[in-house]
Amino acid sequence: MTSFLNNYKMTNNLSLLVILFSCIAYYLFAYQTLRTNFSQVLSLYSFLFVCFYLLYNHSQLNFKTLIYLGVLFRVLFLVAIPNLSDDFYRFLWDGRALFNGINPYLILPKNNPNLIINGSNLYQGMGSMNGSHYTCYPPLNQFAFTIPAIFSDSHLLISTTVMRITLILSDVITLFFGIKILKELKLNTRKILVYFINPFILIELTGNLHYEGMMIAFLSASLYFLFKQKKHLSAILFAGAISIKLIPLIFLPVFYKKLGFKKLFIYGCIVALVNILLFLPFASKELYSNFMSSIELYFQNFEFNASLYYIVREIGYRIKGYNIIQSVGKTTPFIIITITLLLSFLRKNNLKQTLITSMLWVICSYYFLSSIVHPWYIAIPLFLSLFTKYSFPVIWSFVVILSYSAYVNSSYKENLWLVGLEYILVFGYLFAELFQWKFNRKKNL
């Protein structure tokens, strides 16, 4: 049976039928689905993953056709208002504020609902929790938020459409450099489709307008030029990735064996200088305190879709009798730093594939220990996994949809049984891959 599934190829007519059903499902997801309707979200998402599996593994369509198909699926979302996330309202707020000459790091939407055109509507859309703290998005991300305001600082649909076009272009850049990295590593270029036509990427990045896609575009270009020995250009692009989302900072130590101490120091200085220059237009006395207060609030007060953290929290309840998130939030960074340094110094990261594998373990360790893991975060490990022998992030990109069960009611109460099922499947597949790799290694000795 397994052999039959591996060798089975769909006819072109059947492939076209799968494409048609995929288009219908994406349309329903984009325009006819609310996140409160979890059964519909789960059903459509699962159906799209089945279609994705068939197209990737069993279609006779050529590589270019599947790439064009990925573009087509993205275009289906073009004029949709995001329905699974309200973060884009804050993105638009920050962008319109900056477009009107207002420093977004110095204002609270809660205290200034009418400071910009339709500001009160954007504040209502983002919610009081999002609007009651200072923005935590780095400067290049702020400039990206401003692009929609250039075309319209009042019309919601025009703004979201422009925003979506920039993110589609980001995915095309990731496609371009992803293929180049796969060729550099002598891997099958078809693997990029695991990212480019994955329903998770289409829905979370193109559909819900999350800027992980733009960050990954910078990161992919940076890695390619690092492998081509163009270190200064790589550093500038890496700085761009950090200035979209701060999370790539965690990867810097992993470059130690690839670059050596002296070159890594220069690389880090370029990254720091670029980010300082990008922050300069926003410089003020309150910038640092406001920015860091939001970062600290985020890590020490919010909980969502966590794995190992929830186990530690439960132990804390039993021992202390209360939620220990603040003390865990202060301890976790030291654990992550230790894991990162061990992976940086003990592994052969001078080898390209080993380096990316170490990056994958670093980011996954971070997310496994975090108190908050939003679905779109998985885009980074999914992208990195393309260049390794591991595919558990693909499984994660599917089962992460279970976290949306929290939005069934207005209290956003998580169904911990479903969260538990998500991570049982992720860790189960991860350990199965590790065991299989270890078994094959012993077999070949």
Side-chain angles (χ1 to χ4, degrees), residues 41-165:
V41 169
L42 180 60
S43 299
L44 286 172
Y45 195 77
S46 300
F47 178 77
L48 284 166
F49 254 85
V50 171
C51 293
F52 160 59
Y53 172 80
L54 291 173
L55 289 171
Y56 181 74
N57 287 295
H58 302 296
S59 171
Q60 297 186 53
L61 300 174
N62 63 41
F63 183 54
K64 283 188 177 180
T65 300
L66 290 171
I67 288 175
Y68 294 144
L69 190 60
V71 175
L72 170 64
F73 289 157
R74 284 165 172 77
V75 171
L76 291 174
F77 285 90
L78 198 57
V79 292
I81 302 298
N83 52 5
L84 297 187
S85 172
D86 49 25
D87 287 349
F88 73 99
Y89 287 107
R90 182 58 187 257
F91 304 161
L92 292 176
W93 170 281
D94 284 4
R96 290 179 183 181
L98 183 57
F99 181 72
N100 286 283
I102 302 165
N103 189 336
Y105 293 105
L106 305 182
I107 60 170
L108 288 173
K110 179 181 178 180
N111 298 338
N112 305 275
N114 297 308
L115 192 62
I116 58 177
I117 299 173
N118 290 335
S120 58
N121 292 332
L122 294 179
Y123 171 65
Q124 289 178 4
M126 73 179 74
S128 57
M129 184 174 69
N130 197 328
S132 62
H133 59 79
Y134 293 100
T135 188
C136 59
Y137 302 106
L140 195 55
N141 211 353
Q142 296 292 343
F143 293 131
F145 296 159
T146 310
I147 296 173
I150 296 172
F151 291 87
S152 175
D153 63 351
S154 60
H155 197 287
L156 184 63
L157 183 56
I158 293 175
S159 296
T160 54
T161 300
V162 172
M163 191 179 290
R164 186 163 285 119
I165 290 170

Side-chain angles (χ1 to χ4, degrees), residues 164-175:
R164 186 163 285 119
I165 290 170
T166 63
L167 291 174
I168 291 174
L169 291 174
S170 297
D171 277 352
V172 172
I173 292 171
T174 299
L175 171 72

Side-chain angles (χ1 to χ4, degrees), residues 337-347:
I337 289 171
T338 301
I339 292 172
T340 302
L341 291 177
L342 287 173
L343 288 167
S344 299
F345 291 108
L346 299 182
R347 288 175 59 84

Side-chain angles (χ1 to χ4, degrees), residues 322-335:
Y322 59 85
N323 193 333
I324 58 173
I325 182 173
Q326 291 195 348
S327 56
V328 173
K330 292 176 181 177
T331 305
T332 301
F334 294 102
I335 299 174

Side-chain angles (χ1 to χ4, degrees), residues 36 58 82 131 185 227 255 277 294 332 350 380 389 438:
T36 51
H58 302 296
L185 299 177
F227 294 157
F255 295 164
L277 291 174
S294 291
T332 301
N350 53 309
I380 310 172
K389 59 182 70 175
K438 205 168 188 179

Side-chain angles (χ1 to χ4, degrees), residues 154-414:
S154 60
H155 197 287
L156 184 63
L157 183 56
I158 293 175
S159 296
T160 54
T161 300
V162 172
M163 191 179 290
R164 186 163 285 119
I165 290 170
T166 63
L167 291 174
I168 291 174
L169 291 174
S170 297
D171 277 352
V172 172
I173 292 171
T174 299
L175 171 72
F176 177 79
F177 283 105
I179 290 172
K180 283 184 170 294
I181 295 172
L182 287 167
K183 287 180 178 178
E184 187 73 19
L185 299 177
K186 296 180 173 56
L187 297 173
N188 190 345
T189 55
R190 187 180 171 83
K191 287 189 74 176
I192 195 64
L193 296 172
V194 173
Y195 182 93
F196 198 68
I197 63 171
N198 191 315
F200 163 76
I201 295 296
L202 287 156
I203 290 167
E204 289 296 352
L205 305 190
T206 303
N208 294 332
L209 299 177
H210 287 117
Y211 277 76
E212 270 70 14
M214 189 172 289
M215 180 270 289
I216 291 171
F218 275 98
L219 182 62
S220 64
S222 175
L223 285 173
Y224 173 72
F225 286 114
L226 176 67
F227 294 157
K228 300 304 286 186
Q229 302 299 317
K230 297 182 179 180
K231 301 178 183 65
H232 294 171
L233 178 56
S234 172
I236 292 170
L237 291 165
F238 192 82
I242 292 170
S243 198
I244 295 291
K245 297 285 181 177
L246 294 176
I247 191 65
L249 263 173
I250 200 172
F251 297 135
L252 264 180
V254 183
F255 295 164
Y256 167 71
K257 285 196 174 179
K258 180 69 177 173
L259 296 172
F261 178 78
K262 182 178 179 180
K263 290 180 179 178
L264 179 61
F265 178 76
I266 296 171
Y267 193 97
C269 287
I270 294 173
V271 169
L273 179 60
V274 171
N275 276 279
I276 289 171
L277 291 174
L278 289 169
F279 264 113
L280 278 181
F282 305 98
S284 69
K285 293 181 180 178
E286 298 85 3
L287 171 62
Y288 178 79
S289 60
N290 290 351
F291 188 73
M292 293 308 298
S293 68
S294 291
I295 299 294
E296 185 177 343
L297 178 73
Y298 181 84
F299 284 108
Q300 296 186 20
N301 290 273
F302 296 149
E303 300 170 324
F304 185 78
N305 193 38
S307 56
L308 298 180
Y309 164 79
Y310 279 165
I311 297 174
V312 174
R313 184 185 69 177
E314 184 61 27
I315 295 171
Y317 273 127
R318 294 181 181 276
I319 296 176
K320 298 287 187 179
Y322 59 85
N323 193 333
I324 58 173
I325 182 173
Q326 291 195 348
S327 56
V328 173
K330 292 176 181 177
T331 305
T332 301
F334 294 102
I335 299 174
I336 296 299
I337 289 171
T338 301
I339 292 172
T340 302
L341 291 177
L342 287 173
L343 288 167
S344 299
F345 291 108
L346 299 182
R347 288 175 59 84
K348 297 178 180 179
N349 296 321
N350 53 309
L351 304 175
K352 298 168 187 175
Q353 193 169 22
T354 305
L355 183 144
I356 297 183
T357 303
S358 295
M359 292 171 69
L360 175 64
W361 289 127
V362 166
I363 194 66
C364 287
S365 299
Y366 173 69
Y367 287 152
F368 289 151
L369 292 168
S370 292
S371 63
I372 183 165
V373 183
H374 284 303
W376 50 93
Y377 293 0
I378 312 306
I380 310 172
L382 177 65
F383 171 73
L384 293 174
S385 71
L386 304 179
F387 314 105
T388 73
K389 59 182 70 175
Y390 299 101
S391 56
F392 69 91
V394 182
I395 303 300
W396 201 357
S397 72
F398 170 53
V399 297
V400 74
I401 197 66
L402 295 173
S403 66
Y404 276 101
S405 61
Y407 297 106
V408 170
N409 52 66
S410 57
S411 63
Y412 303 138
K413 186 176 180 180
E414 289 184 272

